[in-house]
């Protein structure tokens, strides 16, 4: 099947070349997704799809365009190529637009990343999905205070995808992958009209690696009850721990300015920080595309360049920007890769409870809301909810507060990493402990 | 051509809309084989006839959807052509064309939804998708769909020339003008990036109750991003202008306004100090501050959250939730705004829905499922990102109407507070009612006067409490239509919002200046 996809992709490239494109990069993708959503004892939504699309990047007479279509009827695809090649000719020339150097296609990892569960995908049935979703709800309702639950929504879904990529200067690749997802959300009663929600999820490459339903359903309900009665605390500088599964939301503001476009367009506060210590010495982050069963694992990137592990931060020092061929050329630098794969973090020894004990007093951040980060200055401000901690224990829930800072200062206040990297994300973030950061709440 | 198609039919059916130069140029002698799909439904059928989907096939698909005993089946066809052209570093050197074609088939059984989509409009693919969706019910036989009767709806966004006929040649002068105007505004502007995007989405909705209706939805956007440097500091900001309109929307006046505002927002940030920390009374400037309505209340008024009992506003219809001078509407009928729709994505006619009138919660926003649950009529709020998604209740253009106060007197009434002028994004916790929105730019109010500029702070509050605490409403409402999108249920749809100047009680400001 993959061979057919690869052959089709090659045919697209050849066709575009015939129409006058000197350089062509094409990707064909096909995926199948099924999902059952269960709510309060009943089937709520059943969703299934099979989809296929083509993406084509064209280099015509020194000009460039990128195009996509889900209308793959042969005669339409031909016409689509004709029109997009013609359209590209109208644009301004850009000497930096070119396919990656063929040398970048070499030394691709050939081993098995174990990101496709062929047997698991083939064995999934509609009955299993429905039963699993139902079991998730039962797990969510199995604990104490079940009469305080307003609603439980759960879902079970799986996706199997395959894609092929071909460039006119010699790159060919194809891959298959699968994901399996469990999700539960519980709403519970609170004072007045408030109805706090708790949620939990798992996503894996292999069906057999999904945790038991109680770990997801039960956890969603536990989290909902933890938020009952949440109120803001007084504004102040407090120690805090950011829970592993939410840490990525804050990290985005630090990591997205490593993107080549933002650097070249002078919208990145990290543009002149390569080789400098930007975050706390205890933090190292690797981009590891070859992580076995990783949710971001891949052997080649969107341009077809072969990937390998690279340090992003090494003991606090910024090592690598994310540069695709275009922005690397504009910056006069060597391309790395344009997008993140898996991020693997340095970790500590303690689990979340252990970190809470070390912190003693402060805020455990369990959720973020809204917020943003200024890529040019590094200033950020983000809504939080979580728990007030005293004596290393949860005392009361907090909400309607903000956490604010500047990334260049904030990450130097990172004093400890947990030993609990989140397995259900391509960013395997551990819980993070900070000292004295700015929260705003009540005056 | 195959299957007896004539050339014109063939061209219509395969046209991708990647028009290089505009049609009038072609007529004057260009020989390039530039194509565009037919823009209107023909006299003998629907727009989708050209893809081989006639009413007979639609009916067979609907019937297959009901074959397991579903109460209702629906076919949603979509052909969407999008173009983007971009300028960076002074050159229009990037373009993107996207063609999307497919069908979403939905079957309802009670409150439950079966949904499947396909990207081929063949009989085999449509019937297979219908069979999948039909599995939401489990009987052996089903009812037959009603005969289809085409409905015509009022068109609020006709365009003189559809975007599929507008070549890059017509867009280049707009992009270049915006670039020049932004650069020329202030010598500190060092980079300007422009994004010009247009989409043409043709949809058809047919259902087992006999409805057959089509709509042709244009949407265009000009976005100008500026980077400025001054004494070693860098600031970035953008402005966008967007409308369900054709090329004429981009008048010199509109282009200049968007470019100048982008430049001004950027350079004003050099004067800004960090926002304060803690609770302060907030005056929200008219227009873009309408994001308050969207986040703090709007989502809570969407009927699906209430049907499930999980919204903080569940069971509150008829209750007083705001002061007398507060009235809030969600409206699909505004002229050419991003959230305007002739029909929603279930085929219900666009309309204006009173959510709050004189402080009383009057209605939720309903789609078909929630309307049935509440034994009321759909408010035309069933929207979806594309044929790949089932519809859910969504906002369109959300606004508060004018109140009794003057903007100046509102500002004057505040001893110490924050005046909000520009926002980036927001979010709400539906059940707890906590909302946030991110202030890009505002001003402090001291002794009733606007003073220094502040920037980059998240604002957080409780939606119901803020609504109760609206103490003054100005008479200067305007609608912001600068490229806003709303995300829910994993789906994104274009929206707009508006507000007169209002004063609300204390909101917690997540600044850095303690």
């Amino acid at each position: 099947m993959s061979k057919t996809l690869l052959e089709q992709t090659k045919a697209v490239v050849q066709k575009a070349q015939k129409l006058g494109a000197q350089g062509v990069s094409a990707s064909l993708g096909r995926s199948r997704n099924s999902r059952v959503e269960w709510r309060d004892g009943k089937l709520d939504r059943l969703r299934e799809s099979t989809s296929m699309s083509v993406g084509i990047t064209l280099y015509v007479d020194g000009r460039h365009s990128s195009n996509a279509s889900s209308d793959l009827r042969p005669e339409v695809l031909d016409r689509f190529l004709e029109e997009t090649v013609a359209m590209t000719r109208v644009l301004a020339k850009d000497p930096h637009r070119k396919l990656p150097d063929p040398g970048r296609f070499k030394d691709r990892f050939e081993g098995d990343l174990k990101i496709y569960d062929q047997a698991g995908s083939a064995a999934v049935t509609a009955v299993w999905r429905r039963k699993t979703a139902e079991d998730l709800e039962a797990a969510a309702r199995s604990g104490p205070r079940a009469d305080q639950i307003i609603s439980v929504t759960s879902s079970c879904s799986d996706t199997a995808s395959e894609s092929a990529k071909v460039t006119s200067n010699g790159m060919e690749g194809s891959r298959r992958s699968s994901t399996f997802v469990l999700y539960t959300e519980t709403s519970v009663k609170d004072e007045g009209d408030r109805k706090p929600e708790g949620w939990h999820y798992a996503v894996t490459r292999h069906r057999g690696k999904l945790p038991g339903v109680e770990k997801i359903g039960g956890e969603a309900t536990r989290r909902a009850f933890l938020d009952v009665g949440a109120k803001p605390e007084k504004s102040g500088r407090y120690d805090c721990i950011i829970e592993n599964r939410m840490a990525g939301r804050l990290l985005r503001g630090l990591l997205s300015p490593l993107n080549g476009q933002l650097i070249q367009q002078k919208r990145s506060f990290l543009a002149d920080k390569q080789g400098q210590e930007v975050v706390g010495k205890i933090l190292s982050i690797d981009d590891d595309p070859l992580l076995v069963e990783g949710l971001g694992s891949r052997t080649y990137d969107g341009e077809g360049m072969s990937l390998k592990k690279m340090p992003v931060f090494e003991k606090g020092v910024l090592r690598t920007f994310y540069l695709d061929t275009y922005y690397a050329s504009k910056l006069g630098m060597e391309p790395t890769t344009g997008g993140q794969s898996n991020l693997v973090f340095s970790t500590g020894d303690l689990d979340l409870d252990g970190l809470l004990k070390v912190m003693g007093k402060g805020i455990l951040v369990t959720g973020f809301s809204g917020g943003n980060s200024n890529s040019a200055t590094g200033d950020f401000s983000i809504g939080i909810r979580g728990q007030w901690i005293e004596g290393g224990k949860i005392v009361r829930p907090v909400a309607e507060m903000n956490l604010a800072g500047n990334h260049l200062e904030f990450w130097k206040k990172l004093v400890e990493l947990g030993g609990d990297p989140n397995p259900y994300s391509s960013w395997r973030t551990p819980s993070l402990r900070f000292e004295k950061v700015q929260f705003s709440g009540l005056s | 051509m195959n299957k007896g198609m004539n050339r014109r039919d063939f061209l219509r059916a395969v046209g991708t809309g990647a028009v290089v130069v505009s049609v009038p140029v072609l007529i004057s002698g260009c020989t390039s084989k530039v194509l565009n799909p037919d823009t209107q439904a023909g006299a003998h059928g629907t727009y989708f006839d050209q893809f081989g989907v006639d009413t007979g096939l639609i009916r067979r698909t609907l019937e297959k959807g009901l074959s397991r005993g579903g109460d209702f089946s629906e076919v949603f066809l979509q052909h969407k052509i999008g173009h983007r052209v971009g300028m960076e570093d002074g050159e229009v050197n990037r373009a993107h064309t996207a063609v999307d074609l497919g069908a979403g088939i939905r079957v309802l059984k009670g409150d439950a939804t079966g949904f499947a989509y396909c990207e081929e409009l063949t009989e085999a693919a449509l019937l297979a998708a219908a069979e999948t969706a039909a599995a939401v019910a489990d009987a052996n036989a089903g009812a037959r769909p009603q005969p289809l009767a085409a409905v015509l709806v009022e068109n609020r966004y006709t365009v003189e020339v559809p975007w599929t006929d507008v070549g890059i040649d017509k867009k280049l002068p707009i992009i270049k003008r915006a670039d020049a105007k932004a650069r020329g505004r202030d010598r500190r502007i060092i980079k300007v990036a422009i994004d010009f995007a247009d989409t043409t989405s043709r949809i058809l909705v047919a259902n087992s109750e006999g409805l057959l209706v089509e709509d042709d939805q244009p949407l265009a956007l000009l976005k100008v991003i500026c980077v400025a440097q001054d004494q070693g500091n860098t600031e970035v900001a953008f402005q966008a202008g967007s409308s369900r309109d054709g090329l004429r929307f981009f008048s010199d006046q509109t282009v200049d306004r968007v470019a100048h505002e982008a430049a001004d927002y950027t350079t004003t940030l050099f004067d800004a100090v960090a926002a304060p920390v803690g609770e302060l009374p907030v005056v929200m400037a008219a227009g873009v501050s309408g994001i308050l309505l969207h986040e703090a209340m709007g989502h809570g008024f969407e009927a699906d959250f209430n049907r499930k009992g999980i919204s903080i506003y569940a069971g509150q219809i008829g209750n007083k939730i705001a002061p007398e001078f507060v009235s809030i509407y969600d409206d699909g009928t505004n002229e050419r705004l991003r959230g305007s729709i002739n029909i929603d994505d279930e085929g219900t006619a666009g309309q204006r829905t009173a959510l709050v009138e004189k402080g009383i919660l009057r209605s939720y926003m309903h789609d078909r499922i929630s309307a049935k649950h509440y034994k009321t009529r759909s408010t035309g709020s069933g929207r979806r990102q594309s044929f790949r998604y089932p519809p859910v209740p969504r906002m369109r253009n959300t606004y508060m109407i004018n109140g009794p106060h003057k903007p100046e007197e509102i500002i004057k009434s505040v001893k110490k507070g924050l005046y909000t002028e520009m926002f980036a994004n927001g979010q709400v916790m539906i059940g707890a009612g906590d909302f946030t929105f991110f202030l890009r730019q505002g001003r402090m109010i001291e002794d009733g006067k606007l003073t220094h500029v502040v920037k980059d702070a998240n604002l957080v509050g409780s939606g119901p409490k803020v609504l109760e605490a609206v103490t003054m409403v100005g008479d200067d409402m305007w609608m912001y239509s600068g490229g806003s999108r709303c995300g829910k249920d994993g789906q994104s749809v274009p929206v707009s919002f508006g507000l007169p100047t209002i004063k609300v009680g204390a909101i917690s400001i997540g600044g850095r200046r303690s």
Side-chain angles (χ1 to χ4, degrees), chain B residues 130-258:
Chain B
E131 190 162 6
T132 304
V136 71
D138 53 9
N140 290 322
R144 283 175 63 80
Q146 299 294 315
L148 294 170
V151 175
L152 286 177
V153 289
E154 181 187 350
N155 191 346
R156 300 186 181 89
Y157 33 68
T158 48
V159 290
E160 285 166 8
V161 182
W163 284 109
T164 46
D165 282 2
V166 178
I168 283 187
D169 61 325
K170 290 281 192 286
K171 301 172 191 172
L172 292 179
I174 295 169
I175 295 169
K176 287 176 179 165
R177 183 179 181 99
D179 180 67
K181 291 290 173 183
R183 279 175 196 279
R185 187 71 166 177
D186 192 301
R187 56 177 177 73
R188 293 172 293 179
I189 305 248
I190 56 160
K191 294 260 188 198
V192 174
I194 316 261
D195 193 11
F196 187 106
D198 60 80
T199 57
T200 305
S201 171
R202 278 97 173 191
I203 62 169
L204 177 151
V205 187
N207 67 34
S208 57
E209 294 171 353
L211 176 76
L212 174 69
V213 60
E214 293 182 272
D215 195 22
D216 183 342
Q217 304 177 332
L219 188 62
L221 171 83
L222 173 72
K223 182 172 177 181
V224 179
I225 306 168
C226 293
V227 182
Q229 276 184 345
D230 191 12
Q231 297 169 27
N233 295 319
T234 305
E235 293 292 353
V236 183
F238 72 89
Q239 178 60 302
S242 178
S243 178
R244 288 203 183 276
D245 203 347
L247 203 56
R248 65 169 193 179
F249 173 70
F250 298 101
S251 64
D252 287 353
Q253 193 189 5
T254 297
V255 173
D256 295 358
R257 177 186 60 79
V258 171

Side-chain angles (χ1 to χ4, degrees), chain B residues 245-460:
Chain B
D245 203 347
L247 203 56
R248 65 169 193 179
F249 173 70
F250 298 101
S251 64
D252 287 353
Q253 193 189 5
T254 297
V255 173
D256 295 358
R257 177 186 60 79
V258 171
H260 287 159
E261 286 179 4
D264 294 347
Y265 282 130
T266 312
T267 51
T268 304
L269 292 171
F270 289 121
D271 304 328
V273 295
V277 171
E279 288 182 296
L280 282 178
V282 172
V283 174
M284 312 205 68
V288 63
S289 303
I291 190 172
L292 170 86
L293 301 178
H294 185 98
E295 299 298 350
M297 301 112 201
H299 282 296
F301 295 156
E302 289 167 343
D304 49 345
F305 295 125
N306 291 287
R307 174 171 65 87
K308 296 171 186 175
I310 57 177
S311 166
I312 195 155
Y313 294 108
Q316 297 260 36
I317 294 284
N319 291 355
K320 189 149 195 293
I321 60 168
E324 175 93 14
F325 44 77
V326 171
S327 294
I328 302 171
Y329 296 85
D330 185 79
D331 196 343
T333 68
N334 307 75
E335 197 182 345
R336 298 181 186 280
L337 291 180
R338 282 175 66 80
S340 301
I341 43 177
N342 294 327
I343 54 169
D344 72 359
D345 297 322
E346 300 182 309
T348 306
Q351 51 199 272
R352 178 183 196 237
T353 309
L355 302 174
V356 177
E357 274 182 323
K358 298 187 174 174
I360 311 279
L361 178 58
R362 287 291 179 208
S363 175
Y364 299 132
M365 285 167 270
H366 289 288
D367 64 359
R368 167 177 285 274
I369 294 177
S370 72
K372 193 175 164 212
H373 176 89
Y374 282 98
K375 298 187 172 59
T376 182
R377 290 159 70 99
S378 166
T379 55
S381 307
R383 301 185 69 191
R384 51 180 132 199
Q385 179 176 320
S386 76
F387 65 87
R388 295 187 179 85
Y389 303 84
V392 288
R394 301 297 294 257
M395 281 173 265
R396 295 156 298 196
N397 307 306
T398 315
Y399 52 90
M400 185 185 291
I401 58 169
N402 281 336
H405 304 101
K406 294 280 168 207
E408 314 80 60
E409 74 176 297
I410 296 174
I411 293 166
K412 220 177 199 171
S413 74
V414 177
K415 179 142 180 64
K416 188 180 179 205
L418 177 71
Y419 180 71
T420 64
E421 291 175 300
M422 202 60 195
F423 290 95
N425 53 286
Q427 194 178 341
V428 64
M429 303 289 293
I430 274 298
D434 309 352
F435 67 90
T436 61
F437 40 69
F438 191 83
L439 177 77
R440 275 294 279 139
Q441 192 175 315
R443 278 167 210 271
M444 296 306 297
I445 307 174
E446 284 159 300
D447 294 326
K449 291 199 179 74
L450 296 179
T451 58
H452 50 265
V453 179
V454 294
K455 62 175 181 176
D456 291 334
N458 205 44
L459 272 56
V460 52

Side-chain angles (χ1 to χ4, degrees), chain A residues 39-171:
Chain A
R39 185 173 64 82
D40 300 336
K42 288 196 306 190
L43 177 66
D44 193 42
R45 286 199 294 194
L46 185 72
R47 287 161 83 162
E48 288 207 28
S49 64
T50 305
S51 65
M52 191 159 167
S53 61
V54 64
I56 307 163
T57 303
L58 299 168
Y59 302 84
V60 187
D61 306 337
R63 298 161 169 93
H64 161 268
S65 73
S66 70
N67 309 286
S69 179
S70 73
D71 190 348
L72 300 183
R73 291 171 293 164
E75 69 276 17
V76 178
L77 195 54
D78 287 359
R79 190 62 66 175
F80 180 71
L81 289 171
E82 262 179 51
E83 293 188 2
T84 50
V85 168
M87 175 188 75
T88 311
R89 290 205 162 99
V90 187
L91 300 169
K93 283 192 180 183
D94 190 337
H96 299 287
R97 287 288 182 192
K98 53 207 170 200
L99 287 165
D101 184 283
R104 299 303 300 259
F105 303 144
K106 289 182 184 157
D107 304 321
R108 192 195 305 159
F109 179 75
E110 297 292 346
D112 184 2
L113 293 175
K114 297 197 163 63
I115 56 173
Y116 182 49
D117 179 3
Q118 186 163 15
S121 286
V124 173
T125 62
V127 173
W128 175 78
R129 280 184 211 107
R130 198 182 280 222
K131 174 82 168 56
T132 305
E134 205 175 339
D135 290 349
L136 283 166
E137 182 184 347
R141 292 183 184 275
S142 67
R145 297 163 75 187
D147 59 324
Q148 303 286 304
I149 293 175
I150 296 168
S151 180
V152 176
T153 301
S154 57
S155 67
C156 175
S157 67
D158 52 279
T159 304
S161 312
E162 60 176 327
S163 65
K165 178 158 200 73
V166 174
T167 69
S168 57
N169 65 341
M171 188 273 168

Side-chain angles (χ1 to χ4, degrees), chain A residues 285-301:
Chain A
I285 306 176
D286 286 331
D287 187 291
D288 186 357
L290 307 181
L291 193 67
V292 171
E293 295 183 19
L295 291 165
S297 295
R298 53 202 184 144
T299 59
Y300 57 87
D301 70 5

Side-chain angles (χ1 to χ4, degrees), chain A residues 9 181 201 225 234-235 263-264 275 296 300 316 320 347 391 399 401 410:
Chain A
T9 314
V181 185
Y201 77 105
F225 281 122
K234 281 197 161 183
S235 302
I263 290 165
Q264 193 272 331
Y300 57 87
T320 314
T347 50
M401 293 187 74
F410 184 79

Side-chain angles (χ1 to χ4, degrees), chain A residues 267-416:
Chain A
R267 288 184 229 155
S268 169
F269 70 94
L270 293 174
D272 58 354
K273 296 287 189 288
Q274 205 168 15
Q276 296 181 28
E277 193 176 314
V278 174
V279 298
K281 271 197 177 61
I282 58 164
L283 182 60
S284 294
I285 306 176
D286 286 331
D287 187 291
D288 186 357
L290 307 181
L291 193 67
V292 171
E293 295 183 19
L295 291 165
S297 295
R298 53 202 184 144
T299 59
Y300 57 87
D301 70 5
E303 293 189 277
M305 295 196 287
S306 299
L307 293 172
K308 56 180 193 292
K309 185 166 161 177
M310 61 183 199
V312 181
F313 288 98
E314 203 171 26
K315 294 184 177 160
V317 176
L318 172 58
R319 291 290 177 212
T320 314
F321 292 140
Y322 284 92
L323 304 176
D324 63 7
T325 303
Y326 179 68
Y327 286 104
S329 173
K330 280 192 129 176
L331 288 162
M333 298 168 86
E334 274 300 305
T336 54
T337 178
Q340 281 143 357
S341 63
N342 303 291
L343 295 182
V344 179
F345 292 73
S346 49
T347 50
D349 302 321
L350 299 176
D351 62 8
L352 184 59
D353 283 342
L355 289 176
L356 292 176
K357 282 200 186 82
V358 175
M359 181 174 74
K361 185 176 170 185
I363 293 178
L364 166 65
V365 175
T366 58
F368 287 115
S369 177
N372 211 324
S373 181
N374 185 327
S375 69
T377 63
D379 291 342
F380 71 90
S381 176
I382 185 167
I384 65 115
R385 49 197 310 112
Q387 303 292 329
W388 181 256
I389 306 297
E390 276 179 32
K393 295 232 178 328
I394 288 174
V395 178
R396 58 180 178 268
V398 300
E400 292 177 54
M401 293 187 74
N402 280 303
L403 170 64
N406 180 287
H407 285 291
L408 290 173
E409 297 156 15
F410 184 79
W411 291 94
K412 291 194 170 146
K413 296 174 182 166
L414 176 68
V415 289
E416 189 171 7

